[in-house]
């Protein structure tokens, strides 16, 4: 089965660490990153989709962050 996650965070090194951690756990970048201004909080936000192939069958109870 193929899993999908969309990682987001403020534009700090924490976002890069989040993506790097996912890549080192076997996730693969999917598409281009996004970058937008969050007017409510006055910060820039980053986003990146990642995908991963794993054995098994999909269930809504699946904890994607633990894969």
């Amino acid at each position: 089965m193929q899993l999908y996650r969309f990682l987001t965070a403020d534009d700090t090194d924490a976002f890069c660490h989040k993506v790097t951690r996912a890549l080192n756990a076997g996730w693969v970048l999917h598409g281009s990153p996004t970058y937008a201004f969050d007017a409510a909080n006055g910060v820039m936000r980053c986003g990146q989709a990642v995908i991963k192939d794993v054995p098994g069958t999909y269930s809504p109870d699946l904890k994607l962050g633990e894969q």
Side-chain angles (χ1 to χ4, degrees), residues 1-61:
M1 112 179 101
Q2 190 171 69
L3 305 178
Y4 171 89
R5 290 176 67 195
F6 187 69
L7 307 174
T8 63
D10 291 349
D11 182 21
T12 67
D13 63 341
F15 174 73
C16 294
H17 285 284
K18 183 185 280 191
V19 175
T20 299
R21 192 168 37 254
L23 294 174
N24 281 282
W27 293 84
V28 178
L29 299 177
H30 181 72
S32 299
T34 61
Y35 192 62
F37 183 68
D38 177 352
N41 295 305
V43 297
M44 294 300 291
R45 302 264 306 157
C46 300
Q48 175 64 58
V50 291
I51 57 174
K52 183 178 186 180
D53 287 318
V54 297
T57 304
Y58 173 74
S59 165
D61 299 325

